[in-house]
Amino acid sequence: MQHLPFLTRPLLAMSLILAGLSWIATVHADSGWMQGRATWYDMGNLKDGNCHFDWSPTGRFVAAWPDKQWGFASSCGRCYEVRCRNSDFRDGYGQFLDRSQSCYDSQGKSVVLTITDACPCSYPNNAYSNQRWCCGDMNHMDLSKEAFEQLANLDVGVIGMEFREVDCYSKGNQGGDGNKGSNGGGYWNNFGQW
């Protein structure tokens, strides 16, 4: 019986080490993702966006970045992987929104998009909506219609999201049926490459 404490200590230490390594791997595997919300807009001509781009490496998968959000000054041309997140949150006016059943794919389908426009907090032609979403109360992106509809039904209007900065030529997690590529609106860039 005297040998039992000597065996127990190394086993306990090994268990703690393995548990710690498992926790580190879990945190690292999902690192870099930030939470926020996303709305959608019909972007029209890419050149009309705040960044005045002629083209985007992610085709019509683009987004507008709020002018009151961190990183706005250098947001043009950055690419982000975005995935829908079933969640509840509040808008800029404090209204509670239940989006706990909004995502098409609970397995993490994502899209890669390029920031090509601004979502101004103060915009007289759409003051109520822009102040509701674009004034910095939480992380936000206004996704092109083409990008949003890959993640959720357009009728939902706003979803919880997770996002992280990626290389512009990355492909998102296609989820369910795989390649949705068409008109730059899938996982292809403008050069027809993955």
Side-chain angles (χ1 to χ4, degrees), residues 4-15:
L4 186 59
F6 295 110
L7 292 175
T8 307
R9 286 182 189 158
L11 288 175
L12 179 61
M14 183 61 76
S15 295

Side-chain angles (χ1 to χ4, degrees), residues 60-103:
R60 291 187 61 84
F61 278 17
V62 298
W65 194 263
D67 63 353
K68 299 292 184 194
Q69 189 162 285
W70 54 269
F72 173 72
S74 60
S75 62
C76 285
R78 284 190 184 163
C79 290
Y80 290 91
E81 181 178 9
V82 177
R83 62 187 181 198
C84 189
R85 183 176 66 88
N86 286 321
S87 61
D88 302 328
F89 49 87
R90 296 188 183 279
D91 68 6
Y93 294 117
Q95 179 183 352
F96 178 80
L97 297 161
D98 177 2
R99 295 299 188 268
S100 59
Q101 301 294 316
S102 298
C103 303

Side-chain angles (χ1 to χ4, degrees), residues 15-67:
S15 295
L16 290 173
I17 289 170
L18 290 175
L21 290 174
S22 173
W23 179 81
I24 289 169
T26 301
V27 169
H28 179 71
D30 220 21
S31 66
W33 289 97
M34 295 176 276
Q35 295 182 354
R37 67 174 174 240
T39 51
W40 68 271
Y41 72 112
D42 195 354
M43 64 173 255
N45 188 340
L46 190 61
K47 288 182 187 183
D48 294 336
N50 188 63
C51 302
H52 305 291
F53 289 159
D54 289 334
W55 67 277
S56 159
T58 56
R60 291 187 61 84
F61 278 17
V62 298
W65 194 263
D67 63 353

Side-chain angles (χ1 to χ4, degrees), residues 90-96 127-133 137:
R90 296 188 183 279
D91 68 6
Y93 294 117
Q95 179 183 352
F96 178 80
Y128 177 82
S129 182
N130 278 46
Q131 288 177 5
R132 187 176 188 194
W133 308 119
D137 64 301

Side-chain angles (χ1 to χ4, degrees), residues 162-177:
E162 294 179 320
F163 66 103
R164 63 181 172 185
E165 191 168 358
V166 296
D167 180 272
C168 291
Y169 296 98
S170 299
K171 65 176 182 172
N173 177 4
Q174 299 171 16
D177 62 355

